[in-house]
């Protein structure tokens, strides 16, 4: 057998640049009256933008605007952020967490986690449990059948998240079971459930992932699963209606970039979803500007592939456009939101989803996890045909599950809010302006002038 020699790489080398030039993160609550500025100045690496955005979105902070530059091996970004109610971020422990968590070498330390004073990861995110990952053809009652199998096998569900899009479903269920043989048995039975209603040749997947500290963020993993499952195949160019996602891709010859413009309805975590997709497709964002006007969000990215190439072929541009449209649509909430807050117990997910199925309700999106001894989560439901659920049916479901356990969420505070956070009156006024004047201007032109000014304003946070 021939001997294959490989070069040796010191495992500490990858973090050498960061240790020589650690990220500088500053918080500015003085410049703007209605938002907090988070400024990041750091050595550049692939995926750093996604890491920064993920820190903010995991705290349920709203990014109303951002300017990004990562040319020349250096990364500079300015995020305009507010809390869920459109207010500045003033909690000192939260600000300290943001500053420290954006430094990759300290991101997982207990010191950083403790300084926030609360759990910062979403309740359905878990790195300490065995993960069951399922993709395939969506159908009414599928979640109920899956959770029934787990309940029969006495698998304790620690958290779960599921998305549906274009007739496909991606689901991640975390089970509190260190016995991988038991998990493998669950996988075999789940394959039978998922395959049962799949036509011959229809793709589906059921896999088991052991606990891992470096496991992908759950929401990022859901994007990866749906992308691998090909849910973007049926996405078009969009733009038929003003609230549809519309993607255009042009070439910036003088600077050697492909310019991607995304216009869509504004909503929570929109920036995370698009940056996540570009990162996982191995595109590098060199410059970007994102903002919103009324209820419409605008994102402009100057990108190249990791190999340095631009998007030259029509097929590649079409594929990127389809994937970005899918990324913005997957998290859109269809149906009525039902919130769950109850004491955790074995088979809880099975019990709730069984009642949904028996009353003809279909789950379009689900997120549930454990917080202390309580199970906390949300389900978005429609009727079996995808239409709005009948209020009488929902009331019967609530009575059967328990009115104190399952609550219909009609609170205005849960209305979609994303890149910008404004009052409904302000939104209405801005929407009228958007309709009157077609917002077709280049955010990139503003980016070049802004970054020169912003790059001189990075300073350490005041203690």
């Amino acid at each position: 057998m021939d001997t294959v020699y490989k070069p040796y790489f010191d495992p500490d080398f990858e973090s050498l640049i960061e240790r020589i030039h650690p990220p500088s993160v500053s918080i500015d609550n003085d410049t703007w009256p209605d938002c907090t500025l988070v400024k990041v100045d750091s050595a550049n690496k692939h995926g750093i933008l996604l890491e920064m955005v993920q820190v903010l979105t995991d705290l349920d902070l709203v990014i109303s605007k951002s300017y990004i530059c990562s040319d020349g091996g250096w990364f500079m970004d300015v995020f305009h952020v507010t809390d869920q109610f459109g207010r500045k971020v003033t909690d000192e422990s939260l600000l300290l967490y943001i500053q420290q968590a954006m430094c990759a070498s300290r991101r997982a330390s207990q010191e950083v986690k403790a300084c926030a004073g609360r759990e910062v990861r979403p309740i359905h995110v878990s790195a300490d449990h065995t993960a069951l990952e399922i993709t395939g053809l969506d159908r009414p009652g599928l979640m109920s059948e899956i959770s029934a199998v787990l309940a029969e096998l006495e698998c304790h569900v620690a958290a779960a998240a599921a998305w549906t899009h274009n007739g496909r479903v991606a689901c991640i269920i975390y089970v509190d079971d260190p016995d991988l043989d038991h998990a493998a048995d669950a996988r075999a039975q789940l394959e039978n459930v998922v395959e049962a209603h799949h036509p011959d040749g229809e793709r589906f997947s059921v896999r088991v992932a052991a606990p891992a500290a470096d496991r992908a963020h759950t929401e990022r993993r859901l994007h990866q699963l749906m992308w691998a499952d090909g849910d973007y195949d049926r996405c078009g160019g969009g733009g038929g209606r003003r609230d549809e996602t519309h993607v255009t891709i042009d070439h910036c010859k003088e600077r050697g970039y492909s310019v991607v413009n995304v216009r869509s309805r504004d909503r929570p975590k929109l920036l995370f979803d698009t940056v996540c997709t570009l990162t996982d497709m191995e595109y590098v964002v060199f410059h970007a500007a994102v903002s919103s006007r009324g209820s419409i969000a605008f994102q402009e990215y100057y990108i190249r592939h990791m190999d340095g190439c631009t998007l030259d072929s029509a097929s590649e541009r079409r594929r990127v456009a389809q994937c970005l449209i899918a990324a913005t649509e997957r998290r859109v909430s269809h149906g009525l939101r039902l919130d769950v807050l109850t004491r955790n117990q074995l088979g809880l997910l099975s019990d709730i989803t069984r009642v949904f199925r028996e009353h003809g309700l279909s789950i379009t999106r689900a997120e549930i996890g454990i917080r202390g001894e309580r199970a906390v989560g949300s389900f978005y439901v429609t009727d079996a045909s995808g239409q709005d659920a009948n209020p009488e049916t929902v009331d019967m479901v609530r009575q059967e599950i328990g009115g104190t356990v399952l609550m219909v969420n009609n609170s205005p505070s849960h209305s979609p809010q994303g890149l910008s956070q404004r009052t409904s009156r302000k939104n209405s006024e801005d929407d009228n302006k958007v309709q009157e004047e077609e917002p077709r201007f280049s955010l990139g032109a503003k980016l070049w002038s802004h970054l020169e000014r912003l790059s001189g304003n990075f300073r350490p946070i005041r203690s």
Side-chain angles (χ1 to χ4, degrees), residues 37 51 56 77 100 122 124 166 175 188 210 331 393 399 422 442:
L37 297 186
E51 292 175 3
L56 298 175
D77 196 357
Q100 295 188 357
H124 58 277
N166 276 349
V175 294
R331 201 194 293 267
T393 302
Q399 291 179 25
R422 299 182 176 92
S442 175

Side-chain angles (χ1 to χ4, degrees), residues 341-388:
L341 176 60
T342 187
R343 188 176 185 84
N344 186 38
Q345 62 185 22
L346 183 66
L348 176 64
L349 182 62
S350 176
D351 291 341
I352 293 175
T353 54
R354 174 185 55 79
V355 175
F356 288 163
R357 175 173 55 85
E358 290 175 349
H359 286 81
L361 296 182
S362 181
I363 298 172
T364 63
R365 179 179 154 201
E367 298 174 353
I368 190 166
I370 308 304
R371 183 174 292 163
E373 295 183 353
R374 291 179 174 269
V376 183
S378 299
F379 297 89
Y380 291 85
V381 299
T382 65
D383 65 18
S385 63
Q387 302 301 312
D388 292 342

Side-chain angles (χ1 to χ4, degrees), residues 64-65 242 262-266 270 290-299 418-422 426-443 446:
S64 60
K65 189 181 296 184
R242 290 201 56 81
V262 183
R263 187 194 73 199
S264 66
R265 178 161 290 279
D266 199 6
L270 179 61
V290 299
S291 64
S292 63
R293 182 176 300 183
S295 61
I296 305 298
F298 303 94
Q299 304 174 72
L419 288 172
S420 66
Q421 195 96 358
R422 299 182 176 92
K426 178 66 174 173
N427 263 330
S428 178
E429 293 173 355
D430 287 348
D431 282 345
N432 291 335
K433 293 179 182 178
V434 172
Q435 294 173 1
E436 292 170 3
E437 52 177 346
E438 193 69 24
R440 191 65 193 100
F441 61 92
S442 175
L443 293 173
K446 294 183 66 178

